[in-house]
């Protein structure tokens, strides 16, 4: 196993959109043969699974107020909160490294993490529900995987001193209402800091990362680890993939199951995301979310739009009623109606 250094120009990258796209580049484009491993830190962000409905997972008002990113990964699993006191690790495998790595076997990829943490003083470690890493009965990491050809990525989080209150505010409680998309499974979580040996309890996140990597690779210094450094050419392709897909609102906000079209309206009262499917000139499915109104108010508008003709004449009365109720401003009606009814090629 070798280390993949994701620093750029000697600086740690904490943009969650960028970090989330690196694994896709390594699996889909670069395809370094063998078993690579990377570890990084994100600024505050909510990461949702590829098959999740963001409207059911995220408190958009909190994200806007606290400047928290929303990022959709290309692997499955549930929504998680990251911040600067949380590590993310990923195994990147291309071909057969002949070290026992098997796609789908979370225990194999969890083993180096659990062994290193045990050496750092954490006891009662284990893996539960196939992909959750736990100390006692509390989760400190959730793992996911994705595959492309002979390459795949397997990774997860390591909660060192995560702001748990922020995580609870950013992520919505699991809804009982039926919706398309994979629902998250909220379970009791815990930080590792309190379980570590005293020497590891008061480290910065970068110091903790360095110490953990040394234990994973069983070296005394990080410069003793065989390492691949991302090059300027690598970064050029990563930047291209970001512009094409991973940094777009259509991917992070709009790629929700069962909803084919996406628009974003920046209104005086906030952001309104429109996600819908049209068939035979009618709205078959509509989702509205963002910082305009409450989720309940927006869900009611979406329900009224469902089944309506996809025309200005049909949607305007519904939106006007929302304006009369104070959910939208009067000047917002025409903006939202235009966004709902325009075609993609307009």
């Amino acid at each position: 196993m070798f280390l993949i250094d994701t620093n750029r120009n000697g600086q740690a990258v904490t943009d969650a959109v960028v970090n989330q796209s690196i694994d896709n580049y390594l699996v889909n484009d670069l395809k370094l043969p063998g078993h690579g491993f990377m570890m990084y830190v994100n600024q505050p962000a909510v990461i949702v699974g590829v098959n999740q409905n963001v409207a059911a997972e995220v408190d958009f008002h909190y994200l806007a107020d606290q400047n928290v990113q929303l990022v959709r990964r290309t692997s499955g699993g549930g929504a998680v909160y990251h911040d600067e006191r949380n590590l993310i690790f990923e195994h990147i495998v291309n071909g057969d490294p002949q070290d026992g790595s098997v796609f789908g076997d979370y225990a194999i990829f969890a083993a180096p993490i659990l062994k290193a943490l045990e050496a750092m003083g954490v006891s009662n470690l284990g893996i539960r529900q196939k992909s959750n890493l736990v100390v006692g009965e509390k989760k400190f990491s959730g793992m996911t995987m994705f595959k492309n050809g002979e390459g795949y990525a397997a990774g997860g989080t390591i909660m060192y001193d995560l702001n748990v209150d922020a995580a609870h505010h950013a992520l919505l409680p699991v809804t009982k209402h039926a919706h398309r998309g994979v629902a998250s499974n909220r379970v009791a979580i815990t930080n590792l800091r309190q379980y570590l040996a005293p020497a590891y309890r008061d480290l910065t996140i970068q110091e903790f990362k360095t110490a953990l990597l040394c234990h994973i690779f069983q070296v005394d210094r990080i410069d003793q680890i065989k390492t691949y450094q991302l090059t300027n050419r690598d970064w050029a392709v990563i930047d291209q993939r970001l512009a094409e897909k991973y940094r777009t609102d259509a991917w992070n906000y709009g790629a929700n199951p069962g909803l084919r079209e996406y628009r974003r309206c920046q209104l005086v009262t906030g952001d309104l995301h429109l996600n819908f499917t049209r068939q035979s000139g009618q709205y078959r499915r509509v989702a509205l979310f963002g910082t305009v109104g409450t989720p309940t108010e927006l869900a009611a508008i979406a329900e009224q739009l469902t089944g309506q003709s996809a025309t200005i004449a049909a949607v305007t009365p519904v939106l006007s009623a929302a304006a009369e109720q104070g959910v939208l401003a009067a000047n917002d009606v025409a903006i939202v109606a235009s966004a709902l009814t325009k075609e993609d090629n307009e």
Side-chain angles (χ1 to χ4, degrees), residues 3-256:
L3 180 66
I4 300 170
D5 186 349
T6 61
N7 287 351
R8 187 168 193 176
N9 299 323
Q11 299 295 317
V13 177
T14 60
D15 185 329
V17 177
V18 177
N19 284 329
Q20 196 58 49
S21 70
I22 291 175
D23 58 1
N24 293 280
Y25 167 70
L26 294 169
V27 171
N28 300 327
D29 295 287
L30 186 58
K31 301 180 181 179
L32 291 170
H35 186 161
F37 184 83
M38 63 181 185
M39 187 173 284
Y40 55 84
V41 177
N42 280 335
Q43 64 193 48
V46 170
I47 316 296
V48 297
V50 65
N51 296 315
Q52 290 199 288
N53 184 328
V54 296
E57 299 292 335
V58 179
D59 185 330
F60 289 96
H61 291 273
Y62 183 84
L63 265 59
D65 289 344
Q66 301 299 318
N67 195 30
V68 177
Q69 287 182 289
L70 176 67
V71 184
R72 187 182 296 274
R73 60 178 176 265
T74 55
S75 58
V80 292
Y81 177 80
H82 293 172
D83 66 15
E84 298 97 331
R85 303 288 289 176
N86 175 75
L87 290 175
I88 300 92
F89 69 93
E90 295 207 57
H91 296 264
I92 308 293
V93 179
N94 283 284
D96 182 4
Q98 298 183 344
D99 63 359
S101 301
V102 178
F103 180 77
D105 191 335
Y106 287 93
I108 289 176
F109 297 106
I113 303 295
L114 298 178
K115 184 177 180 180
L117 289 173
E118 186 177 25
M120 298 170 76
V122 184
S123 58
N124 204 16
L125 291 160
I127 184 165
R128 301 282 189 276
Q129 297 176 322
K130 183 180 177 180
S131 60
N132 289 341
L133 306 189
V134 299
V135 53
E137 295 301 320
K138 292 187 177 181
K139 173 181 172 180
F140 68 87
S141 175
M143 295 182 65
T144 64
M145 294 191 193
F146 76 90
K147 193 175 193 296
N148 181 37
E150 294 186 349
Y152 58 92
T157 55
I158 301 175
M159 292 170 54
Y160 176 61
D161 193 23
L162 182 85
N163 186 336
V164 176
D165 286 341
H168 288 317
H169 282 101
L171 300 173
L172 294 175
V174 175
T175 179
K176 296 180 181 179
H177 300 293
H179 66 276
R180 291 205 173 191
V182 174
S184 294
N185 180 23
R186 307 277 187 255
V187 298
I189 58 176
T190 190
N191 283 309
L192 289 174
R193 182 179 177 183
Q194 61 188 309
Y195 303 102
L196 290 159
Y200 302 109
R201 290 180 187 169
D202 296 310
L203 303 178
T204 68
I205 195 63
Q206 294 297 337
E207 290 170 341
F208 177 63
K209 171 186 168 183
T210 297
L212 186 57
L213 284 172
C214 286
H215 279 285
I216 289 171
F217 284 90
Q218 299 180 7
V219 297
D220 296 321
R221 303 188 317 273
I222 199 165
D223 60 7
Q224 296 174 321
I225 303 172
K226 180 183 177 182
T227 302
Y228 178 83
Q229 173 72 52
L230 292 175
T231 67
N232 289 336
R233 184 175 180 180
D234 294 329
W235 281 111
V237 180
I238 292 168
D239 288 341
Q240 182 181 355
R241 299 289 180 266
L242 286 165
E244 292 171 345
K245 180 176 181 179
Y246 300 118
R247 203 181 281 285
T248 67
D249 287 345
W251 169 251
N252 290 304
Y253 291 88
N256 296 302

